[in-house]
Amino acid sequence: MQSLSLAQARRVALAAQGFLDPAHAVPTMRTFQRTLERTGVLQIDSVNVLQRAHYMPLYSRMGPYDVGLLHRAAERAPRRVVEYWAHVQAFMPVELWPHMQHRMDHYRQRQFKWWKEVPTDLHDGLIAEIRDRGALTARDLDTGAPRTKEHWGWNWSQARIALDYLYMTGELAVAGRNGQFEVRYDLPERVIPRAVLEQPTPTKAEAELELVRRAARSHGVGTAKDIADYYRMSVAATAGALATLVEAGEVEQVAVEGWRRPAYLHRDARLPRRIAARALLSPFDPVVWERARTEALFDFHYRIEIYTPAHKRVHGYYVLPFLLGDRIVARVDLKADRQASVLLVKAAYAEPGAPPETASELAAELLRLAGWLGLSGIRVEPVGDLAPPLLGLAG
């Protein structure tokens, strides 16, 4: 069995995620497509204290880019991505739609309690309304009419639950979002390309095999548990799919220094001599979203503290790890103060063993991030051991 050092495993993982790809002065749709092929999915989150989660992984890999690339990929023909519950709520390549049919069937059969409380005739009413009027948000569907028997016989909270059910079961698809981040729902045949919709529906086993194949490629190297988390599958199903991929020669089982469980190395994984990355990572970046893997790869204990009471937070509200080379060397609590047009550094901490150039490299990255966000400056608050040097470099 092949063995990898921990440093080699880190470089494999970062290369698989796109941190070895050449930079472009002006990222194009081709750059976007290449980056999406690396990450596989882009997790969506509503928190907007800095920048919405799905934009950040692209920035971390491509550098400053026009966010319109993602909008065009998601909302214009030929659609390249579509929203679905792939990792959690996420943009995924549109060709994965058939591979999510087994998941849609699962939700249709599971029928959560709150879904069961909604009259089934409401589903038909909402679909008919969207069919007649085109893509609509939940708010668009609220005509303001009284919630009476004459008004379809439903109340508004039930309609919102019904829309969620229809989305999860694939009877509606997400056509896009408006400026308030509200989902616009439409019929799948008006969102998903016909060529994709006409593909044969894979069996559950076939779909899971494809998802595991993609997760293994995006990880480069990972345990069965790591790979299972990528598309939120069971470890048992993932292990079965990995056995098939091992037999086919697409992955091989390897040992990674310090890991108690066997790992799986994708046959296309690259093992570079070095990674020259300099990137701030969103809390929802695939490199760090599975916290146990983050700790195993980078010796970096990381928890997002948004939902922690302020007086109990250790590092801050919206803390981003700072990747330099192949190590996470710092963490920084950031906020985009759009009214004052400044990037607010609320706290900055170096990790043990951070190299001497950490502060200067972080300052350069903060300046680049502020420019991408359209902010005119940086303000550093005196919290954390990296704050004093940042004050002199970027304050």
mmCIF file of all heavy atoms in Angstrom, residues 160-198:
data_model
loop_
_atom_site.group_PDB
_atom_site.id
_atom_site.type_symbol
_atom_site.label_atom_id
_atom_site.label_comp_id
_atom_site.label_asym_id
_atom_site.label_seq_id
_atom_site.Cartn_x
_atom_site.Cartn_y
_atom_site.Cartn_z
ATOM 1 N N ARG A 160 -45.290 28.503 1.687
ATOM 2 C CA ARG A 160 -43.822 28.505 1.729
ATOM 3 C C ARG A 160 -43.297 27.090 1.982
ATOM 4 O O ARG A 160 -42.289 26.676 1.402
ATOM 5 C CB ARG A 160 -43.330 29.470 2.800
ATOM 6 C CG ARG A 160 -43.676 30.929 2.511
ATOM 7 C CD ARG A 160 -43.189 31.849 3.624
ATOM 8 N NE ARG A 160 -41.736 31.916 3.637
ATOM 9 C CZ ARG A 160 -41.015 32.783 2.920
ATOM 10 N NH1 ARG A 160 -41.625 33.645 2.125
ATOM 11 N NH2 ARG A 160 -39.712 32.795 2.995
ATOM 12 N N ILE A 161 -43.957 26.354 2.852
ATOM 13 C CA ILE A 161 -43.564 24.965 3.115
ATOM 14 C C ILE A 161 -43.758 24.120 1.862
ATOM 15 O O ILE A 161 -42.913 23.276 1.517
ATOM 16 C CB ILE A 161 -44.375 24.397 4.293
ATOM 17 C CG1 ILE A 161 -43.992 25.117 5.590
ATOM 18 C CG2 ILE A 161 -44.146 22.896 4.433
ATOM 19 C CD1 ILE A 161 -44.905 24.795 6.760
ATOM 20 N N ALA A 162 -44.860 24.361 1.153
ATOM 21 C CA ALA A 162 -45.126 23.601 -0.065
ATOM 22 C C ALA A 162 -44.064 23.859 -1.134
ATOM 23 O O ALA A 162 -43.632 22.942 -1.835
ATOM 24 C CB ALA A 162 -46.512 23.947 -0.607
ATOM 25 N N LEU A 163 -43.632 25.097 -1.266
ATOM 26 C CA LEU A 163 -42.574 25.418 -2.224
ATOM 27 C C LEU A 163 -41.283 24.679 -1.879
ATOM 28 O O LEU A 163 -40.582 24.183 -2.767
ATOM 29 C CB LEU A 163 -42.330 26.928 -2.247
ATOM 30 C CG LEU A 163 -43.413 27.770 -2.927
ATOM 31 C CD1 LEU A 163 -43.188 29.251 -2.635
ATOM 32 C CD2 LEU A 163 -43.451 27.516 -4.427
ATOM 33 N N ASP A 164 -40.980 24.616 -0.602
ATOM 34 C CA ASP A 164 -39.794 23.884 -0.164
ATOM 35 C C ASP A 164 -39.915 22.418 -0.535
ATOM 36 O O ASP A 164 -38.963 21.805 -1.046
ATOM 37 C CB ASP A 164 -39.625 24.049 1.349
ATOM 38 C CG ASP A 164 -38.434 23.277 1.883
ATOM 39 O OD1 ASP A 164 -37.304 23.579 1.488
ATOM 40 O OD2 ASP A 164 -38.641 22.352 2.696
ATOM 41 N N TYR A 165 -41.075 21.837 -0.300
ATOM 42 C CA TYR A 165 -41.304 20.430 -0.643
ATOM 43 C C TYR A 165 -41.158 20.211 -2.150
ATOM 44 O O TYR A 165 -40.482 19.260 -2.597
ATOM 45 C CB TYR A 165 -42.702 20.013 -0.181
ATOM 46 C CG TYR A 165 -43.130 18.660 -0.707
ATOM 47 C CD1 TYR A 165 -42.694 17.491 -0.094
ATOM 48 C CD2 TYR A 165 -43.961 18.554 -1.828
ATOM 49 C CE1 TYR A 165 -43.071 16.239 -0.577
ATOM 50 C CE2 TYR A 165 -44.346 17.308 -2.310
ATOM 51 C CZ TYR A 165 -43.897 16.159 -1.685
ATOM 52 O OH TYR A 165 -44.268 14.930 -2.174
ATOM 53 N N LEU A 166 -41.751 21.068 -2.948
ATOM 54 C CA LEU A 166 -41.709 20.902 -4.400
ATOM 55 C C LEU A 166 -40.291 21.058 -4.944
ATOM 56 O O LEU A 166 -39.914 20.408 -5.935
ATOM 57 C CB LEU A 166 -42.661 21.907 -5.064
ATOM 58 C CG LEU A 166 -44.143 21.677 -4.778
ATOM 59 C CD1 LEU A 166 -44.972 22.871 -5.249
ATOM 60 C CD2 LEU A 166 -44.633 20.382 -5.429
ATOM 61 N N TYR A 167 -39.498 21.891 -4.299
ATOM 62 C CA TYR A 167 -38.100 22.035 -4.686
ATOM 63 C C TYR A 167 -37.305 20.787 -4.310
ATOM 64 O O TYR A 167 -36.546 20.243 -5.113
ATOM 65 C CB TYR A 167 -37.512 23.270 -4.005
ATOM 66 C CG TYR A 167 -36.018 23.247 -3.848
ATOM 67 C CD1 TYR A 167 -35.182 23.445 -4.937
ATOM 68 C CD2 TYR A 167 -35.434 23.017 -2.599
ATOM 69 C CE1 TYR A 167 -33.800 23.413 -4.786
ATOM 70 C CE2 TYR A 167 -34.063 22.986 -2.443
ATOM 71 C CZ TYR A 167 -33.253 23.180 -3.540
ATOM 72 O OH TYR A 167 -31.890 23.138 -3.386
ATOM 73 N N MET A 168 -37.497 20.299 -3.095
ATOM 74 C CA MET A 168 -36.729 19.150 -2.631
ATOM 75 C C MET A 168 -37.081 17.887 -3.412
ATOM 76 O O MET A 168 -36.239 17.002 -3.573
ATOM 77 C CB MET A 168 -36.966 18.926 -1.138
ATOM 78 C CG MET A 168 -36.412 20.034 -0.250
ATOM 79 S SD MET A 168 -34.611 20.187 -0.320
ATOM 80 C CE MET A 168 -34.114 18.782 0.669
ATOM 81 N N THR A 169 -38.297 17.785 -3.888
ATOM 82 C CA THR A 169 -38.713 16.601 -4.651
ATOM 83 C C THR A 169 -38.508 16.764 -6.153
ATOM 84 O O THR A 169 -38.840 15.860 -6.925
ATOM 85 C CB THR A 169 -40.186 16.269 -4.377
ATOM 86 O OG1 THR A 169 -41.000 17.392 -4.746
ATOM 87 C CG2 THR A 169 -40.408 15.942 -2.907
ATOM 88 N N GLY A 170 -37.983 17.925 -6.587
ATOM 89 C CA GLY A 170 -37.673 18.128 -7.990
ATOM 90 C C GLY A 170 -38.846 18.504 -8.862
ATOM 91 O O GLY A 170 -38.714 18.548 -10.090
ATOM 92 N N GLU A 171 -39.990 18.793 -8.254
ATOM 93 C CA GLU A 171 -41.148 19.200 -9.047
ATOM 94 C C GLU A 171 -41.084 20.672 -9.423
ATOM 95 O O GLU A 171 -41.773 21.121 -10.342
ATOM 96 C CB GLU A 171 -42.431 18.865 -8.290
ATOM 97 C CG GLU A 171 -42.631 17.359 -8.154
ATOM 98 C CD GLU A 171 -43.750 16.994 -7.204
ATOM 99 O OE1 GLU A 171 -44.917 17.218 -7.571
ATOM 100 O OE2 GLU A 171 -43.456 16.490 -6.093
ATOM 101 N N LEU A 172 -40.269 21.408 -8.713
ATOM 102 C CA LEU A 172 -39.881 22.766 -9.088
ATOM 103 C C LEU A 172 -38.362 22.845 -9.027
ATOM 104 O O LEU A 172 -37.716 22.083 -8.302
ATOM 105 C CB LEU A 172 -40.491 23.808 -8.143
ATOM 106 C CG LEU A 172 -42.003 24.018 -8.205
ATOM 107 C CD1 LEU A 172 -42.431 25.035 -7.146
ATOM 108 C CD2 LEU A 172 -42.455 24.475 -9.593
ATOM 109 N N ALA A 173 -37.798 23.768 -9.778
ATOM 110 C CA ALA A 173 -36.356 24.010 -9.748
ATOM 111 C C ALA A 173 -36.107 25.480 -9.476
ATOM 112 O O ALA A 173 -37.000 26.320 -9.634
ATOM 113 C CB ALA A 173 -35.722 23.590 -11.073
ATOM 114 N N VAL A 174 -34.891 25.796 -9.082
ATOM 115 C CA VAL A 174 -34.523 27.188 -8.818
ATOM 116 C C VAL A 174 -34.027 27.813 -10.112
ATOM 117 O O VAL A 174 -33.015 27.382 -10.679
ATOM 118 C CB VAL A 174 -33.449 27.274 -7.718
ATOM 119 C CG1 VAL A 174 -32.996 28.720 -7.541
ATOM 120 C CG2 VAL A 174 -33.999 26.732 -6.398
ATOM 121 N N ALA A 175 -34.750 28.834 -10.562
ATOM 122 C CA ALA A 175 -34.375 29.529 -11.792
ATOM 123 C C ALA A 175 -33.355 30.619 -11.541
ATOM 124 O O ALA A 175 -32.676 31.074 -12.462
ATOM 125 C CB ALA A 175 -35.616 30.135 -12.441
ATOM 126 N N GLY A 176 -33.241 31.069 -10.295
ATOM 127 C CA GLY A 176 -32.310 32.130 -9.940
ATOM 128 C C GLY A 176 -32.735 32.765 -8.636
ATOM 129 O O GLY A 176 -33.626 32.271 -7.938
ATOM 130 N N ARG A 177 -32.087 33.857 -8.314
ATOM 131 C CA ARG A 177 -32.425 34.612 -7.113
ATOM 132 C C ARG A 177 -32.473 36.092 -7.476
ATOM 133 O O ARG A 177 -31.748 36.544 -8.361
ATOM 134 C CB ARG A 177 -31.407 34.387 -6.002
ATOM 135 C CG ARG A 177 -31.451 32.972 -5.415
ATOM 136 C CD ARG A 177 -30.371 32.757 -4.389
ATOM 137 N NE ARG A 177 -30.393 31.393 -3.867
ATOM 138 C CZ ARG A 177 -30.918 31.029 -2.704
ATOM 139 N NH1 ARG A 177 -31.463 31.951 -1.919
ATOM 140 N NH2 ARG A 177 -30.896 29.776 -2.303
ATOM 141 N N ASN A 178 -33.317 36.840 -6.758
ATOM 142 C CA ASN A 178 -33.373 38.275 -7.011
ATOM 143 C C ASN A 178 -32.395 39.013 -6.099
ATOM 144 O O ASN A 178 -31.644 38.392 -5.348
ATOM 145 C CB ASN A 178 -34.805 38.807 -6.861
ATOM 146 C CG ASN A 178 -35.327 38.700 -5.431
ATOM 147 O OD1 ASN A 178 -34.558 38.546 -4.479
ATOM 148 N ND2 ASN A 178 -36.635 38.795 -5.267
ATOM 149 N N GLY A 179 -32.400 40.326 -6.161
ATOM 150 C CA GLY A 179 -31.446 41.123 -5.400
ATOM 151 C C GLY A 179 -31.553 40.976 -3.906
ATOM 152 O O GLY A 179 -30.605 41.279 -3.172
ATOM 153 N N GLN A 180 -32.709 40.523 -3.408
ATOM 154 C CA GLN A 180 -32.896 40.297 -1.981
ATOM 155 C C GLN A 180 -32.549 38.858 -1.597
ATOM 156 O O GLN A 180 -32.846 38.420 -0.487
ATOM 157 C CB GLN A 180 -34.344 40.601 -1.571
ATOM 158 C CG GLN A 180 -34.691 42.073 -1.534
ATOM 159 C CD GLN A 180 -34.826 42.653 -2.937
ATOM 160 O OE1 GLN A 180 -35.449 42.060 -3.812
ATOM 161 N NE2 GLN A 180 -34.229 43.813 -3.148
ATOM 162 N N PHE A 181 -31.916 38.127 -2.499
ATOM 163 C CA PHE A 181 -31.490 36.754 -2.266
ATOM 164 C C PHE A 181 -32.673 35.801 -2.191
ATOM 165 O O PHE A 181 -32.565 34.688 -1.702
ATOM 166 C CB PHE A 181 -30.634 36.654 -0.999
ATOM 167 C CG PHE A 181 -29.726 35.433 -0.972
ATOM 168 C CD1 PHE A 181 -28.786 35.234 -1.959
ATOM 169 C CD2 PHE A 181 -29.822 34.507 0.047
ATOM 170 C CE1 PHE A 181 -27.952 34.126 -1.934
ATOM 171 C CE2 PHE A 181 -28.995 33.389 0.080
ATOM 172 C CZ PHE A 181 -28.063 33.212 -0.915
ATOM 173 N N GLU A 182 -33.815 36.231 -2.690
ATOM 174 C CA GLU A 182 -34.997 35.380 -2.691
ATOM 175 C C GLU A 182 -34.954 34.426 -3.876
ATOM 176 O O GLU A 182 -34.636 34.824 -4.998
ATOM 177 C CB GLU A 182 -36.263 36.226 -2.775
ATOM 178 C CG GLU A 182 -36.503 37.117 -1.568
ATOM 179 C CD GLU A 182 -37.681 38.049 -1.795
ATOM 180 O OE1 GLU A 182 -37.639 38.815 -2.781
ATOM 181 O OE2 GLU A 182 -38.626 38.009 -0.994
ATOM 182 N N VAL A 183 -35.318 33.184 -3.614
ATOM 183 C CA VAL A 183 -35.333 32.158 -4.652
ATOM 184 C C VAL A 183 -36.479 32.403 -5.622
ATOM 185 O O VAL A 183 -37.602 32.697 -5.222
ATOM 186 C CB VAL A 183 -35.483 30.762 -4.017
ATOM 187 C CG1 VAL A 183 -35.748 29.702 -5.080
ATOM 188 C CG2 VAL A 183 -34.234 30.409 -3.216
ATOM 189 N N ARG A 184 -36.194 32.259 -6.924
ATOM 190 C CA ARG A 184 -37.234 32.268 -7.951
ATOM 191 C C ARG A 184 -37.430 30.821 -8.421
ATOM 192 O O ARG A 184 -36.507 30.191 -8.922
ATOM 193 C CB ARG A 184 -36.827 33.162 -9.126
ATOM 194 C CG ARG A 184 -36.825 34.650 -8.791
ATOM 195 C CD ARG A 184 -36.565 35.535 -10.003
ATOM 196 N NE ARG A 184 -35.189 35.395 -10.476
ATOM 197 C CZ ARG A 184 -34.833 34.824 -11.595
ATOM 198 N NH1 ARG A 184 -35.752 34.280 -12.388
ATOM 199 N NH2 ARG A 184 -33.568 34.759 -11.960
ATOM 200 N N TYR A 185 -38.633 30.318 -8.226
ATOM 201 C CA TYR A 185 -38.965 28.943 -8.571
ATOM 202 C C TYR A 185 -39.567 28.876 -9.978
ATOM 203 O O TYR A 185 -40.295 29.763 -10.397
ATOM 204 C CB TYR A 185 -39.981 28.371 -7.583
ATOM 205 C CG TYR A 185 -39.502 28.314 -6.159
ATOM 206 C CD1 TYR A 185 -39.773 29.359 -5.270
ATOM 207 C CD2 TYR A 185 -38.794 27.210 -5.676
ATOM 208 C CE1 TYR A 185 -39.350 29.304 -3.952
ATOM 209 C CE2 TYR A 185 -38.368 27.152 -4.367
ATOM 210 C CZ TYR A 185 -38.642 28.200 -3.503
ATOM 211 O OH TYR A 185 -38.216 28.155 -2.199
ATOM 212 N N ASP A 186 -39.247 27.788 -10.681
ATOM 213 C CA ASP A 186 -39.837 27.578 -11.999
ATOM 214 C C ASP A 186 -39.965 26.075 -12.243
ATOM 215 O O ASP A 186 -39.471 25.254 -11.467
ATOM 216 C CB ASP A 186 -38.981 28.229 -13.084
ATOM 217 C CG ASP A 186 -39.793 28.598 -14.331
ATOM 218 O OD1 ASP A 186 -40.939 28.106 -14.465
ATOM 219 O OD2 ASP A 186 -39.278 29.357 -15.171
ATOM 220 N N LEU A 187 -40.609 25.743 -13.345
ATOM 221 C CA LEU A 187 -40.733 24.342 -13.728
ATOM 222 C C LEU A 187 -39.362 23.816 -14.168
ATOM 223 O O LEU A 187 -38.605 24.534 -14.841
ATOM 224 C CB LEU A 187 -41.732 24.193 -14.871
ATOM 225 C CG LEU A 187 -43.131 24.779 -14.642
ATOM 226 C CD1 LEU A 187 -43.986 24.560 -15.884
ATOM 227 C CD2 LEU A 187 -43.781 24.168 -13.406
ATOM 228 N N PRO A 188 -39.025 22.587 -13.829
ATOM 229 C CA PRO A 188 -37.716 22.046 -14.216
ATOM 230 C C PRO A 188 -37.449 22.134 -15.711
ATOM 231 O O PRO A 188 -36.320 22.412 -16.129
ATOM 232 C CB PRO A 188 -37.780 20.591 -13.732
ATOM 233 C CG PRO A 188 -38.748 20.618 -12.605
ATOM 234 C CD PRO A 188 -39.781 21.644 -12.990
ATOM 235 N N GLU A 189 -38.493 21.917 -16.535
ATOM 236 C CA GLU A 189 -38.268 21.944 -17.982
ATOM 237 C C GLU A 189 -37.918 23.331 -18.503
ATOM 238 O O GLU A 189 -37.453 23.474 -19.638
ATOM 239 C CB GLU A 189 -39.489 21.396 -18.733
ATOM 240 C CG GLU A 189 -40.793 22.093 -18.418
ATOM 241 C CD GLU A 189 -41.590 21.405 -17.326
ATOM 242 O OE1 GLU A 189 -40.975 20.811 -16.403
ATOM 243 O OE2 GLU A 189 -42.842 21.445 -17.400
ATOM 244 N N ARG A 190 -38.126 24.370 -17.693
ATOM 245 C CA ARG A 190 -37.728 25.725 -18.094
ATOM 246 C C ARG A 190 -36.405 26.126 -17.455
ATOM 247 O O ARG A 190 -35.928 27.240 -17.688
ATOM 248 C CB ARG A 190 -38.839 26.721 -17.731
ATOM 249 C CG ARG A 190 -40.147 26.432 -18.472
ATOM 250 C CD ARG A 190 -41.060 27.619 -18.556
ATOM 251 N NE ARG A 190 -41.602 28.057 -17.300
ATOM 252 C CZ ARG A 190 -42.902 28.256 -17.040
ATOM 253 N NH1 ARG A 190 -43.800 27.983 -17.989
ATOM 254 N NH2 ARG A 190 -43.304 28.690 -15.873
ATOM 255 N N VAL A 191 -35.811 25.237 -16.661
ATOM 256 C CA VAL A 191 -34.533 25.520 -16.001
ATOM 257 C C VAL A 191 -33.447 24.560 -16.467
ATOM 258 O O VAL A 191 -32.357 24.981 -16.846
ATOM 259 C CB VAL A 191 -34.696 25.428 -14.461
ATOM 260 C CG1 VAL A 191 -33.342 25.594 -13.763
ATOM 261 C CG2 VAL A 191 -35.676 26.477 -13.954
ATOM 262 N N ILE A 192 -33.744 23.282 -16.442
ATOM 263 C CA ILE A 192 -32.754 22.258 -16.776
ATOM 264 C C ILE A 192 -32.730 22.048 -18.288
ATOM 265 O O ILE A 192 -33.782 21.894 -18.908
ATOM 266 C CB ILE A 192 -33.089 20.928 -16.077
ATOM 267 C CG1 ILE A 192 -33.342 21.145 -14.577
ATOM 268 C CG2 ILE A 192 -31.977 19.910 -16.287
ATOM 269 C CD1 ILE A 192 -32.184 21.740 -13.828
ATOM 270 N N PRO A 193 -31.555 22.050 -18.920
ATOM 271 C CA PRO A 193 -31.495 21.820 -20.370
ATOM 272 C C PRO A 193 -32.183 20.512 -20.760
ATOM 273 O O PRO A 193 -32.120 19.518 -20.034
ATOM 274 C CB PRO A 193 -29.988 21.762 -20.653
ATOM 275 C CG PRO A 193 -29.362 22.549 -19.544
ATOM 276 C CD PRO A 193 -30.221 22.306 -18.347
ATOM 277 N N ARG A 194 -32.823 20.536 -21.920
ATOM 278 C CA ARG A 194 -33.569 19.357 -22.376
ATOM 279 C C ARG A 194 -32.677 18.132 -22.454
ATOM 280 O O ARG A 194 -33.091 17.026 -22.085
ATOM 281 C CB ARG A 194 -34.190 19.637 -23.749
ATOM 282 C CG ARG A 194 -34.916 18.415 -24.324
ATOM 283 C CD ARG A 194 -35.477 18.683 -25.707
ATOM 284 N NE ARG A 194 -36.555 19.663 -25.670
ATOM 285 C CZ ARG A 194 -37.237 20.048 -26.745
ATOM 286 N NH1 ARG A 194 -36.933 19.544 -27.935
ATOM 287 N NH2 ARG A 194 -38.198 20.936 -26.631
ATOM 288 N N ALA A 195 -31.443 18.313 -22.942
ATOM 289 C CA ALA A 195 -30.538 17.163 -23.085
ATOM 290 C C ALA A 195 -30.289 16.485 -21.741
ATOM 291 O O ALA A 195 -30.106 15.268 -21.678
ATOM 292 C CB ALA A 195 -29.213 17.612 -23.698
ATOM 293 N N VAL A 196 -30.280 17.264 -20.663
ATOM 294 C CA VAL A 196 -30.077 16.701 -19.324
ATOM 295 C C VAL A 196 -31.347 16.003 -18.855
ATOM 296 O O VAL A 196 -31.313 14.894 -18.321
ATOM 297 C CB VAL A 196 -29.643 17.794 -18.330
ATOM 298 C CG1 VAL A 196 -29.567 17.242 -16.909
ATOM 299 C CG2 VAL A 196 -28.294 18.384 -18.736
ATOM 300 N N LEU A 197 -32.494 16.652 -19.051
ATOM 301 C CA LEU A 197 -33.761 16.067 -18.613
ATOM 302 C C LEU A 197 -34.066 14.760 -19.334
ATOM 303 O O LEU A 197 -34.728 13.877 -18.782
ATOM 304 C CB LEU A 197 -34.908 17.052 -18.854
ATOM 305 C CG LEU A 197 -35.009 18.239 -17.891
ATOM 306 C CD1 LEU A 197 -36.140 19.157 -18.317
ATOM 307 C CD2 LEU A 197 -35.220 17.775 -16.455
ATOM 308 N N GLU A 198 -33.595 14.632 -20.572
ATOM 309 C CA GLU A 198 -33.898 13.437 -21.360
ATOM 310 C C GLU A 198 -32.939 12.280 -21.099
ATOM 311 O O GLU A 198 -33.107 11.193 -21.654
ATOM 312 C CB GLU A 198 -33.904 13.795 -22.842
ATOM 313 C CG GLU A 198 -35.085 14.696 -23.233
ATOM 314 C CD GLU A 198 -35.069 15.085 -24.695
ATOM 315 O OE1 GLU A 198 -34.029 14.834 -25.366
ATOM 316 O OE2 GLU A 198 -36.075 15.641 -25.172
#
